[in-house]
């Protein structure tokens, strides 16, 4: 390796590499030299303030380098001013110049034990080295400076393995070291307090063990830290749900990201009950009750963003399983035009929600995005001159513009019973969490007949089925004709990752054999995500709604009779221009937004 490349993160070398690759201009280089001293001082002051505010023990901190300075200046790339010259770009460029692989670390694929037991925490944070894999007798270590040979030799000596380096950003490595070591330290300390684990038959059989004096309470600081780490980690990874599942001899933690579950931790079984107790404490559940399902909520804040966490506890074979659903306001409250509507369907839906009175139904299975659509709609309608009242089970996200009521059957507050009282509250718009029985449907119809706009959900597969479902509940057909103004059915498809998206050709006949008839012959160009560090190798990043919008026109009203069937309503709706879920999903497929596998997954229909 040439001598100049051994300089690692020296100022001259970093600037030379960025200049050679055309990422900075001469003027930018001069600007960096002129401002570096002041920026370094500000960064050091900022770090000192953060360090002083943390409750953890003082840590050895790696000095601020030239990459930190350039990143803080928020420069634009000289070769493409539309892109920022961020830390990731700088380290990718340096790795290319050093001929060392660059690695974007995926926390979900990290081995907690490997990270935390290979080298000490103090050594890792001082030298910014993070063990990430052991394969074929080699220990792979991520570091921003792969030329610190003394450190590499120390790691090789301690681990008794040959060491192979990859380059990662300083920010990623620091964050992951603190997260993994912090979580592991809390779990190990908690496990040690419990002592040797005993047999746990959970809810299958009773097993009596006398509790030791030093058994871990839910208020123990180690458990508090572990739960805080877990929630923070889930928030960072864009998880919608956290599953904490007790098994016979361990506890498994999984995160649902973009609709798919990822296993992330296996915890010692003897800390499971303490973690469950801590979550119950902060969500105001009964810690003593372990045999009945319970529901609660937590309000959390991360990086200036507040989120609601809905907590569900249920007894399973080996203990209590907890599921925490994270209600991120950035997901629940969106602009209607960003949800995934086609232009025509958006116009139709806007017409529904601006009607003075009537019933609007949003249909789809659990996890299809109904809550996001309803909350986004209510936020779009909210104004100082409108009274919006909701009845929910439970309230998913608190919003000051709405008057939100939680269903409480114990004290007689159900979807059906509370509606009569809501009408005395002078509402303009009423949102009912779900129409699940005749009482709710009848009261919703009465509210619509008396001049209110009512929004609600139904668990049906498509828009026409919602009409027949209400008829099956016992709602008179003539009342549905008079009140229902529109039905919206929806699903969520995963979007192709824009960072690794690439085209490919597929024969339309092959697609037709799978159930996707495109009404064309020959090859068609589709897209797929080949997998990259941004999407964790899945090829998907984020989700988008697929909708079926059914306006209840005069023709549809004539189809609503006590003997109505879905096919008759569907045929009428198609004649009037309704685009079905499958057709809208195929449009997203042809526009390169999603894959044919996702279309088949979310819009299944009999062949």
């Amino acid at each position: 390796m040439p001598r100049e490349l051994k300089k690692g993160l020296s100022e001259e070398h970093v600037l030379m590499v960025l200049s050679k690759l055309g990422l900075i201009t001469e003027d930018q280089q001069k600007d960096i030299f002129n401002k570096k001293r002041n920026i370094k001082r500000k960064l050091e002051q900022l770090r000192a303030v953060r360090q002083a505010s943390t409750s953890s023990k003082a840590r050895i901190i790696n000095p601020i380098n030239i990459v930190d300075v350039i990143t803080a200046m928020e420069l634009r790339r000289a070769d493409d001013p539309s892109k920022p010259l961020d830390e990731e770009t700088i380290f990718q460029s340096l790795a290319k110049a050093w001929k060392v692989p660059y690695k974007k670390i995926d926390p979900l694929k990290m081995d907690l034990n490997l990270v935390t037991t290979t080298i000490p925490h103090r050594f890792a944070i001082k030298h910014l080295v993070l063990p990430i894999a052991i394969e074929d007798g080699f220990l792979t270590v991520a570091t921003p400076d792969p030329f610190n040979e003394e450190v590499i030799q120390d790691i090789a000596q301690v681990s008794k393995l040959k060491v192979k380096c990859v380059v990662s950003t300083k920010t990623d490595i620091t964050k992951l070291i603190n997260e993994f070591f912090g979580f592991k330290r809390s779990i190990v300390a908690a496990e040690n307090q419990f002592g040797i684990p005993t047999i746990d038959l959970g809810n299958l059989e009773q097993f009596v063990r006398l509790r030791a004096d030093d058994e871990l309470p839910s208020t123990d600081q180690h458990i508090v830290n572990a739960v805080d780490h877990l929630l923070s980690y889930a928030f960072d990874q864009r998880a919608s749900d956290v599953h904490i599942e007790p098994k016979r001899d361990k506890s498994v933690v999984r995160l649902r990201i973009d609709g798919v579950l990822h296993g992330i931790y296996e915890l010692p079984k003897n800390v499971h009950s303490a973690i469950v107790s801590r979550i119950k404490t902060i969500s105001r559940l009964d810690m003593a009750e372990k045999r009945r399902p319970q529901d609660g909520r937590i309000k959390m804040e991360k990086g200036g963003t507040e989120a609601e966490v809905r907590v569900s506890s249920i007894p399973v074979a080996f203990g209590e399983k907890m599921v925490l659903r994270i209600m991120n306001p950035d997901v629940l409250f969106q602009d209607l035009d960003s949800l995934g509507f086609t232009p025509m369907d958006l116009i139709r839906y806007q017409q529904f929600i601006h009607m003075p009175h009537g019933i609007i139904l949003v249909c789809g299975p659990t996890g299809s995005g109904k809550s996001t659509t309803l909350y986004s709609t209510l936020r779009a309608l909210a104004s100082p001159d409108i009274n919006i009242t909701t009845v929910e089970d439970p309230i998913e996200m608190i919003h000051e513009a709405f008057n939100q009521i939680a269903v409480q059957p114990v004290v007689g507050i159900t979807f059906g019973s509370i509606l009569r009282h809501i009408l005395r509250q002078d509402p303009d718009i009423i949102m009912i969490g779900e129409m699940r029985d005749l009482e709710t449907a009848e009261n919703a119809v009465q509210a619509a007949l008396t001049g209110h706009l009512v929004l609600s959900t139904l668990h049906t597969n498509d828009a026409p089925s919602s009409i027949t479902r209400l008829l099956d509940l016992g709602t008179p057909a003539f009342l549905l004709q008079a009140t229902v103004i529109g039905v919206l059915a929806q699903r969520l498809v995963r979007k192709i990752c824009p960072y690794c998206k690439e085209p490919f050709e597929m024969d339309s006949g092959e697609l037709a054999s799978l159930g996707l008839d495109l009404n064309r012959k020959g090859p068609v160009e589709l897209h797929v995500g080949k997998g990259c560090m941004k999407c964790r190798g899945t090829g998907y990043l984020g989700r988008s709604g697929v909708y079926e919008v059914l306006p209840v026109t005069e023709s549809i009203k004539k189809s609503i009779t006590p003997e109505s069937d879905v096919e008759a309503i569907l045929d009428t709706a198609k004649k009037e221009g309704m685009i079905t879920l499958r057709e809208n999903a195929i449009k997203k497929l042809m526009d390169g937004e999603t894959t044919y596998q996702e279309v088949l997954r979310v819009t299944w229909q009999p062949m």
Side-chain angles (χ1 to χ4, degrees):
M1 186 175 291
R3 181 180 176 83
E4 63 175 7
L5 292 185
K6 291 186 180 180
K7 293 177 182 177
L9 295 174
S10 69
E11 294 179 9
E12 297 81 3
H13 175 67
V14 171
L15 292 172
M16 179 197 73
V17 169
L18 296 179
S19 182
K20 272 188 175 180
L21 293 174
L23 293 171
I24 58 173
T25 62
E26 283 188 25
D27 289 341
Q28 285 175 321
Q29 201 166 341
K30 289 175 185 175
D31 198 31
I32 293 166
F33 268 118
N34 292 335
K35 293 179 179 177
K36 66 182 179 182
R37 186 174 296 174
N38 285 337
I39 292 173
K40 269 189 179 182
R41 187 168 62 251
K42 286 178 183 177
L43 290 174
E44 284 165 356
Q45 289 170 350
L46 181 62
R47 190 162 63 182
V49 169
R50 285 177 181 165
Q51 186 68 13
S53 65
T54 184
S55 59
S56 60
K57 294 178 182 177
R59 293 192 293 264
I60 299 170
I61 300 175
N62 209 272
I64 288 167
N65 58 40
I66 189 66
V67 178
D68 298 322
V69 171
I70 298 171
T71 304
M73 291 178 70
E74 298 182 346
L75 300 173
R76 310 303 294 180
R77 288 174 53 163
D79 60 340
D80 186 354
S82 66
K83 296 178 181 177
L85 184 60
D86 55 16
E87 186 184 21
E88 196 166 306
T89 304
I90 295 169
F91 276 107
Q92 283 177 335
S93 305
L94 291 171
K96 183 179 179 182
W98 295 336
K99 293 183 171 57
V100 177
Y102 178 82
K103 175 78 173 174
K104 176 67 175 177
I105 305 170
D106 181 359
L108 297 182
K109 295 178 181 174
M110 297 281 283
D111 184 333
L112 179 67
N113 289 325
L114 171 66
V115 173
T116 56
T117 59
T118 309
I119 57 176
H121 180 207
R122 187 171 287 270
F123 184 90
I125 199 70
K126 178 180 179 181
H127 300 292
L128 291 181
V129 284
L130 183 70
I132 58 174
I134 295 178
E135 195 174 2
D136 301 328
F138 280 89
L139 171 66
T140 304
V141 174
T143 176
D145 185 1
F147 301 112
N148 197 334
E149 293 178 5
E150 187 179 339
V151 171
I152 303 304
Q153 286 171 4
D154 288 345
I155 296 172
Q157 191 173 352
V158 169
S159 65
K160 304 289 192 296
L161 294 166
K162 295 176 182 176
V163 177
K164 187 165 56 177
C165 287
V166 294
V167 175
S168 293
T169 66
K170 181 179 174 182
T171 299
D172 281 354
I173 290 171
T174 305
K175 185 171 185 291
L176 289 169
I177 287 173
N178 289 331
E179 279 184 358
F180 276 82
F181 277 94
F183 186 75
K184 179 70 173 181
R185 189 166 55 241
S186 299
I187 292 298
V188 169
E191 186 182 13
N192 289 339
Q193 281 183 262
F194 264 107
I196 300 169
T198 58
I199 299 168
D200 184 359
L201 297 176
N203 292 299
L204 293 180
E205 297 177 27
Q206 187 176 10
F207 185 89
V208 178
R209 175 169 65 89
L210 295 179
R211 181 187 171 102
D213 290 336
D214 61 347
E215 242 182 44
L216 201 65
S218 64
T219 53
D220 184 272
Q221 192 58 43
H222 303 307
I223 286 298
V224 171
N225 290 340
V227 172
D228 286 352
H229 275 294
L230 196 56
L231 288 171
S232 176
Y233 185 64
F235 202 77
D236 287 342
Q237 300 304 316
R238 302 184 299 108
S240 60
D241 300 86
V242 182
H243 291 239
I244 305 170
E245 304 169 329
K247 306 298 180 185
R248 185 180 293 276
D249 55 3
K250 61 187 176 184
S251 181
V252 176
V253 180
R254 298 193 289 169
L255 300 183
R256 187 178 296 279
I257 302 169
D258 290 339
V260 177
L261 277 170
H262 300 262
I264 57 163
Y265 294 132
E266 287 187 359
L267 306 178
K269 183 61 183 289
N270 51 357
V271 300
H272 176 81
S273 60
I275 286 177
V276 167
S277 294
R278 171 60 184 167
I279 294 170
K280 281 185 171 183
T281 300
I282 58 179
S283 56
R284 297 181 180 178
L285 299 183
D286 183 357
M287 283 199 295
E289 180 56 73
K290 300 179 186 296
R291 298 170 301 167
R292 289 188 303 182
Q294 296 187 70
D295 295 303
R297 61 192 311 110
I298 304 167
K299 185 85 168 177
M300 64 179 277
E301 185 267 339
K302 177 78 190 301
T305 301
E306 285 191 356
E308 299 270 349
V309 181
R310 207 167 78 192
V311 179
S312 171
S313 166
I314 198 164
V316 294
F318 295 107
E320 286 182 275
K321 176 181 174 180
M322 305 290 288
V323 175
L324 288 70
R325 170 154 287 189
I326 299 171
M327 302 294 178
N328 189 333
D330 293 338
V331 174
L332 276 176
F333 297 106
Q334 299 184 42
D335 293 331
L336 291 178
D337 56 6
S338 67
L339 293 177
F341 285 100
T342 62
M344 181 52 69
D345 282 346
L346 181 59
I347 290 170
R348 285 175 176 165
Y349 186 62
Q350 294 272 17
Q351 289 171 345
F352 293 170
I353 65 177
H354 287 99
M355 295 287 279
H357 55 82
I359 297 174
I360 301 168
L361 297 170
V362 180
C363 309
T366 302
S368 59
K370 299 188 298 297
S371 294
T372 297
T373 299
L374 283 174
Y375 273 121
S376 300
T377 301
L378 292 178
R379 192 183 69 166
L381 294 173
S383 68
D385 55 346
I386 287 181
N387 177 14
I388 296 176
T389 304
T390 74
V391 191
E392 304 172 58
D393 182 20
I395 297 172
E396 295 190 7
M397 175 65 70
I398 304 293
H399 194 287
E400 290 185 357
F402 317 148
N403 300 292
Q404 294 168 281
I405 303 165
V407 167
Q408 298 179 67
V410 177
V411 293
I413 300 177
T414 64
F415 284 122
S417 65
I418 195 65
L419 273 171
R420 292 191 298 273
H421 300 282
I422 287 176
L423 293 179
R424 298 177 195 136
Q425 289 280 313
D426 187 30
D428 296 294
I429 298 171
I430 301 168
M431 193 272 274
I432 306 167
E434 184 185 346
M435 277 201 202
R436 55 176 67 155
D437 52 39
L438 178 58
E439 183 187 14
T440 308
E442 284 178 339
N443 283 308
V445 165
Q446 288 304 316
L449 287 172
T450 52
H452 303 89
L453 185 65
V454 180
L455 291 88
S456 188
T457 69
L458 270 176
H459 286 103
T460 59
N461 289 327
D462 56 24
S465 299
S466 61
I467 303 294
T468 55
R469 174 68 189 280
L470 289 175
L471 290 169
D472 290 342
L473 285 177
T475 315
F478 72 92
L479 289 178
L480 294 182
Q481 292 173 358
T483 56
V484 179
I485 55 179
V487 184
L488 179 75
Q490 68 177 89
R491 298 290 189 280
L492 290 175
V493 292
R494 290 185 288 171
K495 295 192 291 187
I496 297 171
C497 173
Y499 300 98
C500 61
K501 183 176 177 179
E502 60 181 21
F504 74 101
E505 283 195 347
M506 191 169 180
D507 188 72
S508 55
E510 188 179 350
L511 285 169
S513 68
L514 294 170
L516 292 178
D517 188 0
L518 305 183
N519 292 322
R520 63 177 75 183
K521 293 182 179 180
V524 291
E525 183 178 273
L526 304 178
H527 290 79
V528 68
K530 63 181 180 180
C532 67
M533 56 192 178
K534 297 281 188 182
C535 63
R536 301 188 179 88
T538 63
Y540 298 101
L541 188 64
R543 290 188 289 177
S544 178
V546 177
Y547 297 91
E548 178 176 282
V549 182
L550 170 64
V552 179
T553 60
E554 290 302 319
S555 301
I556 297 292
K557 286 178 182 178
K558 289 176 184 175
S559 302
I560 302 174
T561 65
E563 297 79 29
S564 287
D565 63 28
V566 175
E567 291 301 321
I569 298 173
L570 180 60
D571 288 343
T572 304
K574 281 184 173 180
K575 287 174 186 174
E576 297 198 336
M578 185 189 83
I579 309 298
T580 65
L581 280 166
R582 171 62 67 92
E583 290 165 347
N584 271 328
I586 289 174
K587 186 176 187 310
K588 285 187 184 291
L589 170 70
M590 300 308 294
D591 289 343
E593 288 184 50
T594 192
T595 62
Y596 71 88
Q597 292 95 334
E598 280 293 287
V599 173
L600 290 169
R601 181 178 70 85
V602 303
T603 64
W604 179 88
Q605 59 187 30
M607 296 287 287

